[in-house]
Amino acid sequence: MSGPLQGVRVVELGGIGPGPHAAMVLADLGADVVRVERPGGGLAVLTDPSRDPVLRGRRSVAADLRDADDLDAVLALLDRADVLVDGFRPGVTDRLGIGPDVLTARNPRLVYARMTGWGADGPWAQRAGHDLNYLSVTGVLHAIGPQDGPPAVPLNLVGDYGGGSLYLLVGVLAALFERERSGRGQVVDAAIVDGVVNLAQLVWGLRGQGAWQDRPGSNLLDGGAPFYTTYRCADDRHVAVGALEPAFYAQLLAGLELDPDGLPAQYDPAGWPQLRDTFTAVFATRARDDWAALFDGTDACVTPVLTFAEAPGHPQLAARGSLVERDGQVQAAAAPRLSRTATGGTAPAPRPGSTPIDEVARDWS
């Protein structure tokens, strides 16, 4: 596969969540990725691995890391690899004999990328957890709201993928870049809790300036502002309103046919309840797509809230090919795009253990 990472060899220890997503992006960017699965198939907890587009773009080999012969075969691959993506709990690979100390001694150029929830050390390093748990201790889940009632569950995108796989990728690419100068790899310790906290730096900054309250639904970006939230329309579907800047807000009011002189000032929180009531009443008079058509071509920052089924038909996503269909499945195209080197991202998912490990060894010799 062509791409800016062509020639980079990656071994991925099979699992679910942010590790496979990071490996997908590396493969999309041209790396030669080999996924090591347990014999008998992948970890099919949520999806069929043979049809999972997250597993696209790489080969899959079967190996029991507790078997001496299989372990030797995997070690032979790792001796020639540039990157290892390890999504196990800290200490698991050490017990298996492929921990960072062993591997970096055998292959000093190896970038050992650890993807964990709590981090490689600390009192919770060995605890089980999932996206929601990692978000809960960082303050982010509480901030997502709503104002009254339990916090919303924001899929698993903020933690697993925003704070997890994407930070792992930043670490891997940085380590590969540094290796060009030093000739040596290093261990990347990517913890979801660290990434989520880092993602929330803006909020930490606002809070430090006294511009953010620990009360969900009361702040500028958490739905508290009536010009940065969602509204129900006449057909029980919704629009998203993001008219933060005064110039955009003026276009919002114009589209709603509201006189600004009869309304509270945009950034006066005392007037936000009145503004919210007014906007709620007006948006409820038309269907979602009517509002989308009315605001199309303006900078009012009013957009329809689409379902996954509707998203491929949006003209902007369609024009860019952001979503593609392969083998009867809609999946995300590769991102980001580069001007000189093509990226992949549409190869079918491999069948678990479908490539003999000695074939990969020959390719990498």
Side-chain angles (χ1 to χ4, degrees):
M1 180 183 293
S2 64
L5 296 184
Q6 187 171 13
V8 174
R9 297 169 172 178
V10 179
V11 173
E12 170 202 358
L13 300 181
I16 60 173
H21 182 266
M24 179 197 77
V25 176
L26 292 170
D28 287 351
L29 293 172
D32 184 358
V33 181
V34 175
R35 177 176 167 91
V36 178
E37 299 273 13
R38 293 198 303 263
L43 190 57
V45 175
L46 302 177
T47 63
D48 174 1
S50 67
R51 301 185 67 244
D52 185 356
V54 173
L55 302 184
R56 71 192 183 196
R58 66 264 215 188
R59 292 173 287 181
S60 180
V61 301
D64 183 352
L65 296 175
R66 293 165 297 185
D67 177 87
D69 291 337
D70 282 4
L71 179 61
D72 285 343
V74 172
L75 283 169
L77 290 183
L78 290 167
D79 287 343
R80 299 172 174 85
D82 297 291
V83 179
L84 171 67
V85 176
D86 166 19
F88 295 157
R89 289 195 210 185
V92 170
T93 55
D94 297 279
R95 293 193 293 273
L96 291 170
I98 53 172
D101 292 341
V102 170
L103 294 186
T104 55
R106 292 174 61 111
N107 179 2
R109 290 178 57 82
L110 181 70
V111 173
Y112 192 114
R114 278 185 145 162
M115 183 73 262
T116 65
W118 304 112
D121 53 19
W124 281 29
Q126 295 298 325
R127 286 201 183 190
H130 281 292
D131 181 285
L132 201 63
N133 307 116
Y134 310 134
L135 290 184
S136 73
V137 303
T138 63
V140 170
L141 185 63
H142 178 268
I144 289 172
Q147 190 171 43
D148 49 354
V153 179
L155 303 183
N156 68 329
L157 303 180
V158 179
D160 277 353
Y161 302 113
S165 67
L166 295 185
Y167 276 84
L168 183 81
L169 287 162
V170 170
V172 166
L173 297 177
L176 287 173
F177 181 78
E178 191 277 338
R179 192 182 70 175
E180 293 300 304
R181 298 192 299 272
S182 69
R184 299 182 63 83
Q186 57 187 302
V187 177
V188 177
D189 176 8
I192 294 175
V193 287
D194 295 346
V196 169
V197 169
N198 193 276
L199 280 174
Q201 187 76 308
L202 170 66
V203 178
W204 287 107
L206 291 172
R207 193 174 180 275
Q209 299 167 40
W212 188 277
Q213 304 177 63
D214 281 338
R215 193 170 73 247
S218 302
N219 301 286
L220 184 64
L221 301 176
D222 64 357
F227 44 87
Y228 197 83
T229 188
T230 59
Y231 288 96
R232 185 182 299 273
C233 302
D235 56 355
D236 285 332
R237 294 189 287 182
H238 297 79
V239 292
V241 176
L244 288 171
E245 292 82 355
F248 301 163
Y249 181 72
Q251 294 190 47
L252 169 67
L253 296 186
L256 297 176
E257 298 183 351
L258 295 171
D259 182 359
D261 293 336
L263 297 172
Q266 178 185 3
Y267 276 92
D268 178 10
W272 284 1
Q274 180 184 341
L275 285 177
R276 185 181 302 277
D277 290 345
T278 301
F279 295 164
T280 298
V282 176
F283 276 116
T285 63
R286 298 192 188 190
R288 181 198 70 181
D289 292 346
D290 292 338
W291 286 117
L294 186 150
F295 284 106
D296 190 21
T298 76
D299 282 338
C301 301
V302 177
T303 51
V305 178
L306 302 181
T307 65
F308 278 115
E310 294 174 307
H314 188 273
Q316 181 65 18
L317 300 186
R320 286 185 57 82
S322 301
L323 291 159
V324 296
E325 185 172 336
R326 293 291 184 274
D327 301 320
Q329 281 185 294
V330 176
Q331 58 182 277
R337 305 175 192 195
L338 290 87
S339 63
R340 289 193 300 102
T341 47
T343 52
T346 58
R351 296 200 65 82
S354 60
T355 303
I357 195 167
D358 58 348
E359 179 181 318
V360 179
R362 285 195 301 271
D363 289 347
W364 284 12
S365 62

